[in-house]
Amino acid sequence: MGPFQVDIKFADDVAIFKTSGYINDLGGEKIEKQCEDVLREGYRKVIINLNDSPIINSIGISILIGIIDRINKADGNVFFTNVTNSNAKVFDFMGLSKYARIFQTVEDAVQHVSGKA
């Protein structure tokens, strides 16, 4: 894996993040910064596609918890997609999945967010 990257697309009122690389303190902080930026721009629905980030360490998880908390406090919602089975188990164990739904694909999450599911 190369250096961590976050690419963002926008679909109507949804910010769609595509991460690439290891989510540790540096990767988590990049996601957090981008979330702060989209919140300032008025977006309250954030989809985080983890397809190219199969490895998340404990610091990365703690930063994701902070992101979920911040977006929820702003009356927004976070959705994760393309989560590996092992990460889904960690998300369940740590309680992330109580506050941020997990979808198989970005398309599934977009349909849910837009009310077409």
Side-chain angles (χ1 to χ4, degrees):
M1 271 188 257
F4 186 84
Q5 289 182 238
V6 180
D7 296 313
I8 305 173
K9 291 188 326 186
F10 298 95
D12 298 321
D13 61 344
V14 182
I16 304 168
F17 291 51
K18 184 171 189 332
T19 64
S20 178
Y22 180 36
I23 301 179
N24 54 12
D25 55 334
L26 299 174
E29 288 169 2
K30 285 184 180 183
I31 298 169
E32 185 174 44
K33 166 85 172 80
Q34 296 293 333
C35 282
E36 290 171 6
D37 291 347
V38 299
L39 279 174
R40 265 195 304 281
E41 293 173 20
Y43 290 90
R44 295 294 181 264
K45 299 172 190 168
V46 176
I47 296 171
I48 301 176
N49 176 356
L50 299 174
N51 189 62
D52 295 330
S53 294
I55 302 171
I56 307 171
N57 74 7
S58 59
I59 295 172
I61 292 286
S62 68
I63 293 171
L64 292 177
I65 291 169
I67 290 168
I68 292 167
D69 184 55
R70 181 161 183 177
I71 292 173
N72 285 344
K73 284 181 179 173
D75 293 324
N77 296 100
V78 180
F79 307 92
F80 291 99
T81 70
N82 303 89
V83 179
T84 65
N85 288 337
S86 59
N87 283 335
K89 289 176 186 176
V90 172
F91 281 26
D92 285 342
F93 179 75
M94 298 297 293
L96 273 78
S97 54
K98 289 181 186 176
Y99 303 100
R101 286 193 58 185
I102 298 173
F103 291 90
Q104 290 292 317
T105 66
V106 171
E107 294 76 18
D108 292 342
V110 169
Q111 284 183 356
H112 172 79
V113 169
S114 65
K116 297 177 184 172

